Every structure is written in C-alpha cells, then in structure tokens.
Amino acid sequence: MERLAQLALHTTSAAGAPPAPAHPLDPLSPQEIKNVSTLVKKNYEGKIINFNTITLREPMKKAYYEWKEKNGPKPPRIAYFVIVADGDQGVHEGVVDITAQHIVEFQHTTGVQPILTPHDLQTTEDIVRNDPEVQRQCEISGVPPNSMHQIYCDAWTIGYDERWGAEKRLQQALMYWRSDEDDSHYSHPLDFCPIVDMNAKKVIYIDIPQRRRKISKHKHSNFHPKHIAEKFGTKENPSGFRQNDNFPINVTQPEGVSFNLDGHVMSWSNFKFHIGFNYREGIVLSDMTYNDHGNERSLFHRISLCEMVVPYGCPDFPHQRKHALDIGEYGAGNCTNPLALGCDCKGVIHYMDAHFPDKNGDAFTVRNAICIHEEDDGILFKHSDFRDDFQTTVTTRGKKLIISQIFTAANYEYCLYWIFRQDGTIKLEIRLTGILNTYICADDEDTGKWGTQVYPNVNAHNHQHLFSLRLHPRIDGDNNSAATSDAKSSPFPTGSAENKYGNGFYCEKTTFNKVKDSITDFESKTARTWDIFNPNSVHKYSGKPATYKLVSTYCSPLLAQEGSLVRKRAPWAANTTQVVPYSDDAHGYGRLYPSGDHVAQWSGDGVRGMTSWIDDGEANVNNTDIVFFHTFGITHFPAPEDFPVMPTEIFDLMLRPRNLHTENPVLDVKPSYAKTTSEVKNGEAGVDSCSLNVDKASRLAFGNNDCCKK
Ligand code: ABN
Ligand code: CU
C-alpha cells in the first residue's frame, strides 16, 4: 500500500466526520470507530465482512512535528482497518481518512492471517466442543460421558504448521477438562490438540500423540477464595486465609495528585508526554520531553513494547508450535483488562478507557484500561554530616508516576508499569503472574529435562518470556546515535607505566556506525549497558553527549537453535539490540513491528520486519534518525511454587539520563527534612515536612508517638 504524504495537508473535516479528538495521537474514539466501519461496510457492499482491527494510523513523525513545533497543519485523522470477508482467503486491509470521509486505499492481501481477537478465541471453544471426533477423543481420554460442557480450550494461533501453511485461518486448541465450572482447568490438561479452521468454523485435524494419557483424577488445584477455604480452612479459621498479616495498608494523598492531564497529554514533575493506546502494543508513550529549568528538551519520539515471544522448550511434536508472539498475534491492547480502583492500583487514580471494534464494526469499551497514579518512591537523595552526629542533613523523598495496564494472554497475566522518576529516569517494570501453560503427564511418566511436574499429572514446560522494547529517541533533536558501554579493566598489566598499581578501569564506549554494528548481546562480565545519545549536544562540563543509558540485565538469550521455527518468526529475539534507521517510507509505517505486520501463521521465511530493516546491515545509524530495539525478558523453569497461580515474578529495565543535565536534576525538589550546620547550632527549625505535626499518617508501630514530637 502506498503511503499518502499529501494527507498531512488536510485540515478541515468533511461533512459527517465525527469530531476529532484534540490531539493527533489520541486513540480513535468510539464515534470514529463506528464511522470507519460504516465507510468500510459501504466499500465492501455485497460481502459478509467481520471487523478484526480499526485503529489510529498515527501521523508520520515529520507531519506530527510540523504541526507541533512549526505551526503546520493539524494532521488528519487516519484509521487503519483489517477485515476478514466470508469466503475470501487472507485479509482485506486499508486506510480511511476520517477527516475527509473516504477510503484512501484498500487491498486484499493473501498469504497472511490477521491478529486473533478475544471473540475469535471464544468461537473456537464452541467449535471444539461440538466436534464429534473431539468428543470421541475426550471419551478415550477418560472424560465422563455427556460432559463436553466441561471441556475448555485455550485457543492459540497455530504459530505455523507446514501441513497447512498460511492459507487457512487456523488455531490450535490446547485442551483441558474442568470437573466443575469453578475449577482451574490447567490442573486437568488433555493430551490431544485439535486444529480449527476459523473461516470454515470446523475442526480440520486432531494431533494425537502416540502415547495416550488418561485425564488426571486428582482434584484440581485452585486459587479462588472458596478453594482456599477448602484447602486450608479449619474450624478456628474457616476462611483458610492467613490471619497474621491482614491489616490494610492504605495510601493517602490528601491534596490529590501532582500530575496534570490535558486529554491524553501528561505533565508530571518536569516530564510531558502523550499517552496513547492501541490494539496491539497497548500503551504507547510519545513526544516525551523534560523541562530543564524552562528549556523544554525532547527525549523520545515514541516508546512502546512492540512485540514479544514465549518460546516453549519441549522438543516433542507438536509443542514446537507453542511460541506465542502475544503482541503481534493477540495484542497487548486487545487482551487488556478493565482495572479496579484500590485493587489493581492503590491511591488516587486516573483511568483511561480503551475502545475497539467488535466483529460488526460497533465500538466496545474496556473501562479503566490504563491506570495512572503516583506512589512514594523512597529516598530521592540524602546526605548527613557526621561532624554533628548527622544533624546537618538534607533528606528528600521522591515520588514516581506510574502508567500501567494488565493484559491476559490466555493463561498468563502481564502487568506493565511505565514508571517515571523525578530525576528523569524512565523504568519499565513487568510483573508476570497468572497460570503456567500445562500439559498432561501420566502417573509413570518422567517430564525429563524439558519440564517440571508442578502438580500430580501436570507438566509445565520450560519456556521464555521475551519482549521487544521499541525506542524511537529524539534526544535534543532528531539525529541520535547509539553505543555499547562496557566496564573494562585497563588493558595494561600491574607494574606497567600505564597501570602501575593495576587498579585502572574505564568505560569503553563503542558507537554503532552501521546497522550491523548494532546487533549486540548482553554481556554480564562487562556490566554492559547501552547509550542512546545526541552527538551534537555536548555537556558543558563532561564534554560527553546528552545520553539516555539503557540499563537492562534481564536479558536471557533466545535458547531455540538457529533454523528453529521460533527463531525464524522472531528474528529480533536472537540478539539484545538492533538499531535501524527510522523510515516513514511506503510500507515502512515507521518500522513498528519486528515480526512483521501480520504475524499469525508467518513461517519466518522471506524478509519481513526486523530482517528487512537490517537488510545487508550496511545502513548508517550514526547521528541520524534511529529506532532502537531491545530484547529483554526471563527464562522460566517452572516450579510447584508457580502453581496453581504464579506469585508475581518481577523484571525490569531502566533508562537514565547521563550527561544530559548540568547537575543533579532534582535539587529543586523540596526536601522533607533539612538543616544546615548553622541551623543545628542555633536550634533553628530548617525545613520539616515529615514530623508528626505535618505528616499525620506516619506513626510508630508500637507504643506512643511522644518521642517523635518535635
Ligand atoms: N499465550 C497465547 C495466547 C494469548 C492470548 C490469547 C490466547 C492465547
Ligand atoms: Cu512463564
């Protein structure tokens, strides 16, 4: 499809266009979604169409900053849509100019399959339950007669299976049995795997293992309160919940929040950025700036999680197909949860809703999809003078701003927290919870080294959770560079003239000139970090360029071998970083998705996404407009503690400013407590916002508070 640069010239809306949101990066409103589907329906009159995706096509970077910074025209509202038409292979996709009220381009793309929607997942369960051969296999597995309503499946895209390729729209149904409606079915996996053609709405094949295994007769293991009571309840304590840590911890913010929202534009501390959300990446943070004492400095054009993959490590057929690319195949937006006040996050919360099309093109809303709140962040900085027993002191507490969402990828929950600190640090914390993907294991079966029996007859296979973080930097301008930064000992031996005492060490910075230089891996021996910097913006003291340093240590390497299906489908996951030139060109769409635009049922052959962007590796990435991709995540060897639901496993990364600010950027944050040496001597008050007459919420755990009254 051709990019239409001239669209940036439109400013006024045609009759019938819904009101455009204030900001060009705002997600489509419900009215806009409905408006697009109406236009699309007219275009496809005579066909039975099912809406799969209607989303904002963000304005190109150039057009955006022409508007934002150069008084240029406001970019028109453009939507991208994907539909599946009954009887047609592949997808129909296109672009609608909402402002001008017409379809700009559309095409029938074959050989690809669309992202799965939550509706698709539910349909599959019905198809599987009603299939006579599945019913027969359930019987062979020992499922009681007439209990197909107790059969559940987690519908996964097939990944890719050579037997069918990408022509049919396929799902693999991972099968389970619930002995009653409130069971956790992951305790009762079945051993076979139906393949469902979603367009034909039928089971077309069933993968049946040679060794058959009867369903587990063990009672399911569950985690809902009623099951906790069954498991641990006693006469004295029928609930079964532990009694000794039940007192609430509440957060009080008596004067409300310190952030300010103008529509989707967040201002907090010195940060300013736009909060977007789409079906695929979920939260997208754009046009991020930091107010450096009146100077609004640009930091990043766009930050998002653009892809992920969960490769499983059991080599037996058909488990090689288990490698969900959850963002490209299902969508962190599509699978996002509505969040509950005081529960998913505590304190004073602002929520944003998310809007999607249903299969008929009507808009539906996930309420409270994005949570925005602040938390106390402990000590921001402190120093005390030992000379007067630490009475001369400054103690400044910090706050953090957290933008979060939680999405459910069938069995797993991914809790995503984008965290901002007042000193300019940006953190991404991921909490992984939910339920292990499980497979049946017979009484006499050894899981071998590929999995762990986490419960009787329940095998949880080894797997990884790997994400691709997409950073489009704009540090002090469009031309940026990137480098590895390695802690190195002096190369000269002890006793040499250059390193007489042997203690010398330094930071070795290796700037990427070409794309091929940027394909790097984590190196724990050198405490490797990565610098993203503007070589043209040099610090007046250090002489070093204005930098954001990526500090990321959860960098498990992809364990699947070269040539494996998952490595081909997630080429980006094989390394920790890739840097490519930004491109707004035709088909580029800003180089957003490193496993390609349509991920489901891609074989990994041919050049798409990251493979095409890397190309021959010769393109320049030094002092130009670059996009930085970072693979991070964990390797998960399941254990019984992860079952029946996982206590959150936390991993994170951070981006910190280096050589960007003249000095400590939070000196202007008011301390909680401060006294100079002369104030101590003269018995003067200094600054005090934490003593008990000010902070009524803090108090001693035991005894009275008299000792602390000042
Ligand atoms: N993890 C695979 C998956 C994700 C979302 C929905 C279904 C299946
Ligand atoms: Cu896991």
Side-chain angles (χ1 to χ4, degrees):
M1 273 190 289
E2 215 181 305
R3 292 309 296 272
L4 293 174
Q6 72 272 21
L7 289 177
L9 302 175
H10 292 248
T11 47
T12 52
S13 301
H23 195 282
L25 297 176
D26 284 358
L28 296 185
S29 67
Q31 296 95 307
E32 287 180 311
I33 290 172
K34 181 72 193 159
N35 180 266
V36 170
S37 71
T38 307
L39 289 168
V40 171
K41 277 179 194 166
K42 273 198 202 123
N43 197 63
Y44 290 92
E45 237 155 34
K47 278 190 186 294
I48 301 177
I49 60 171
N50 306 285
F51 285 88
N52 171 275
T53 301
I54 300 179
T55 193
L56 176 74
R57 167 130 312 157
E58 291 173 23
M60 286 177 266
K61 183 181 170 203
K62 193 158 174 280
Y64 175 76
Y65 288 108
E66 292 274 334
W67 166 75
K68 163 83 188 317
E69 292 175 352
K70 300 188 184 145
N71 227 358
K74 190 168 181 181
R77 296 288 286 170
I78 307 289
Y80 166 69
F81 70 86
V82 176
I83 55 173
V84 178
D86 280 5
D88 289 351
Q89 275 184 14
V91 300
H92 292 269
E93 58 187 329
V95 175
V96 175
D97 183 338
I98 304 174
T99 313
Q101 285 291 282
H102 74 91
I103 301 207
V104 176
E105 53 189 77
F106 62 95
Q107 70 176 33
H108 184 189
T109 313
T110 52
V112 300
Q113 294 298 342
I115 200 164
L116 287 190
T117 63
H119 176 262
D120 295 332
L121 304 177
Q122 283 171 30
T123 316
T124 300
E125 203 155 66
D126 294 334
I127 295 171
V128 165
R129 276 188 190 137
N130 290 313
D131 183 81
E133 186 51 30
V134 172
Q135 291 169 2
R136 208 172 72 80
Q137 292 303 325
C138 286
E139 223 176 289
I140 294 171
S141 297
V143 173
N146 303 319
S147 48
M148 282 310 286
H149 60 286
Q150 294 178 322
I151 291 297
Y152 289 78
C153 74
D154 279 8
W156 287 38
T157 74
I158 197 161
Y160 183 77
D161 191 314
E162 282 168 349
R163 291 172 293 178
W164 299 283
E167 274 173 17
K168 293 182 161 62
R169 190 170 172 223
L170 300 178
Q171 288 187 355
Q172 50 182 326
L174 310 188
M175 303 293 294
Y176 304 92
W177 173 62
R178 287 189 195 175
S179 61
D180 83 61
E181 208 180 6
D182 289 341
D183 274 16
S184 170
H185 56 248
Y186 298 98
S187 297
H188 292 141
L190 300 183
D191 67 349
F192 59 94
C193 181
I195 309 297
V196 173
D197 179 335
M198 297 167 65
N199 291 348
K201 298 195 174 38
K202 62 176 193 213
V203 174
I204 57 163
Y205 196 80
I206 305 182
D207 281 321
I208 301 171
Q210 267 176 352
R211 168 172 192 174
R212 296 310 301 262
R213 300 158 179 96
K214 292 277 186 206
I215 49 162
S216 161
K217 288 284 175 330
H218 293 276
K219 189 176 162 47
H220 67 94
S221 176
N222 208 324
F223 47 91
H224 280 279
K226 92 170 193 195
H227 302 288
I228 301 306
E230 282 165 15
K231 266 189 223 237
F232 309 122
T234 58
K235 220 162 94 213
E236 298 72 42
N237 172 22
S239 79
F241 287 114
R242 68 178 73 170
Q243 299 293 298
N244 55 1
D245 61 5
N246 266 348
F247 297 131
I249 296 180
N250 288 329
V251 179
T252 61
Q253 290 172 265
E255 288 162 59
V257 297
S258 305
F259 60 81
N260 193 34
L261 270 164
D262 178 7
H264 283 247
V265 178
M266 161 66 69
S267 301
W268 178 80
S269 203
N270 292 342
F271 277 107
K272 193 167 184 177
F273 53 90
H274 180 274
I275 303 171
F277 193 89
N278 67 51
Y279 74 107
R280 191 154 170 165
E281 298 155 286
I283 292 171
V284 176
L285 305 172
S286 300
D287 189 5
M288 191 177 291
T289 61
Y290 191 91
N291 188 326
D292 183 2
H293 303 280
N295 179 13
E296 189 90 12
R297 296 174 71 178
S298 64
L299 302 180
F300 289 92
H301 170 54
R302 195 177 187 280
I303 301 182
S304 69
L305 281 176
C306 61
E307 193 48 276
M308 60 176 289
V309 66
V310 186
Y312 282 77
C314 174
D316 303 337
F317 179 87
H319 304 301
Q320 86 288 354
R321 283 196 311 238
K322 279 198 317 197
H323 58 262
L325 287 122
D326 289 296
I327 290 180
E329 291 185 311
Y330 311 91
N334 279 344
C335 299
T336 212
N337 284 206
L339 302 176
L341 189 63
C343 167
D344 290 301
C345 295
K346 285 174 90 78
V348 181
I349 311 285
H350 178 78
Y351 289 114
M352 287 179 178
D353 298 340
H355 311 291
F356 306 99
D358 67 13
K359 82 186 221 326
N360 303 315
D362 293 323
F364 76 90
T365 295
V366 174
R367 299 264 299 139
N368 301 348
I370 307 175
C371 171
I372 303 170
H373 78 298
E374 290 170 294
E375 284 180 11
D376 180 270
D377 193 30
I379 298 293
L380 187 58
F381 66 89
K382 179 176 176 96
H383 180 65
S384 309
D385 196 332
F386 64 87
R387 290 172 190 81
D388 58 6
D389 298 330
F390 315 111
Q391 292 187 77
T392 298
T393 188
V394 179
T395 304
T396 302
R397 287 194 74 81
K399 290 178 179 162
K400 55 189 173 188
L401 173 74
I402 306 172
I403 323 281
S404 62
Q405 71 165 111
I406 299 176
F407 74 94
T408 302
N411 49 311
Y412 272 121
E413 264 69 25
Y414 294 97
C415 315
L416 310 178
Y417 302 92
W418 298 93
I419 302 170
F420 295 82
R421 300 186 71 214
Q422 289 150 299
D423 67 353
T425 303
I426 305 160
K427 284 178 78 171
L428 170 59
E429 179 180 299
I430 298 187
R431 289 178 177 236
L432 175 55
T433 178
I435 310 177
L436 294 163
N437 168 268
T438 57
Y439 187 65
I440 188 166
C441 157
D443 284 334
D444 61 346
E445 193 175 352
D446 180 0
T447 60
K449 52 191 172 192
W450 315 115
T452 303
Q453 182 167 294
V454 292
Y455 191 69
N457 301 134
V458 177
N459 178 2
H461 291 147
N462 307 337
H463 58 280
Q464 303 189 278
H465 300 264
L466 303 176
F467 291 80
S468 180
L469 171 71
R470 183 182 182 278
L471 300 167
H472 188 170
R474 197 172 182 248
I475 301 168
D476 283 342
D478 290 316
N479 282 5
N480 282 195
S481 302
T484 46
S485 174
D486 292 295
K488 289 267 172 95
S489 299
S490 164
F492 301 103
T494 308
S496 65
E498 295 84 352
N499 193 17
K500 188 167 173 195
Y501 307 102
N503 62 311
F505 67 88
Y506 68 108
C507 169
E508 186 177 86
K509 182 165 165 173
T510 313
T511 299
F512 309 145
N513 289 314
K514 295 182 171 181
V515 169
K516 66 181 180 197
D517 307 329
S518 75
I519 302 171
T520 70
D521 295 320
F522 178 60
E523 184 53 81
S524 59
K525 281 201 204 95
T526 60
R528 176 168 282 178
T529 56
W530 293 266
D531 288 354
I532 304 173
F533 58 98
N534 185 334
N536 317 298
S537 174
V538 175
H539 195 278
K540 65 178 174 188
Y541 302 155
S542 70
K544 294 178 181 176
T547 300
Y548 257 86
K549 180 178 280 298
L550 170 64
V551 183
S552 182
T553 53
Y554 289 94
C555 296
S556 279
L558 177 66
L559 294 161
Q561 294 272 11
E562 192 78 49
S564 62
L565 181 60
V566 60
R567 211 173 170 106
K568 287 187 346 183
R569 299 188 73 225
W572 49 271
N575 300 98
T576 315
T577 63
Q578 301 96 5
V579 180
V580 299
Y582 174 68
S583 165
D584 254 350
D585 63 0
H587 308 291
Y589 304 117
R591 299 191 158 167
L592 286 177
Y593 305 128
S595 278
D597 292 346
H598 298 292
V599 180
Q601 292 176 243
W602 176 40
S603 65
D605 294 324
V607 266
R608 283 191 199 177
M610 187 54 75
T611 356
S612 75
W613 307 333
I614 289 177
D615 197 23
D616 63 359
E618 290 296 323
N620 173 50
V621 286
N622 192 357
N623 200 6
T624 186
D625 197 351
I626 55 171
V627 190
F628 188 108
F629 290 85
H630 169 50
T631 308
F632 69 101
I634 54 161
T635 297
H636 190 173
F637 296 111
E641 286 87 345
D642 298 337
F643 202 71
V645 66
M646 269 180 69
T648 48
E649 176 153 0
I650 305 173
F651 50 103
D652 61 4
L653 56 80
M654 95 180 141
L655 288 154
R656 359 173 21 201
R658 308 306 280 158
N659 301 293
L660 197 127
H661 298 286
T662 309
E663 56 189 334
N664 176 348
V666 288
L667 294 179
D668 56 351
V669 174
K670 193 166 175 201
S672 304
Y673 186 75
K675 265 191 186 174
T676 60
T677 305
S678 62
E679 283 165 345
V680 171
K681 272 194 192 144
N682 301 332
E684 288 166 24
V687 174
D688 181 0
S689 66
C690 58
S691 69
L692 291 175
N693 39 7
V694 183
D695 177 2
K696 302 266 186 260
S698 297
R699 61 192 185 91
L700 290 181
F702 306 109
N704 65 41
N705 292 299
D706 291 349
C707 69
C708 307
K709 290 203 176 112
K710 292 217 168 79

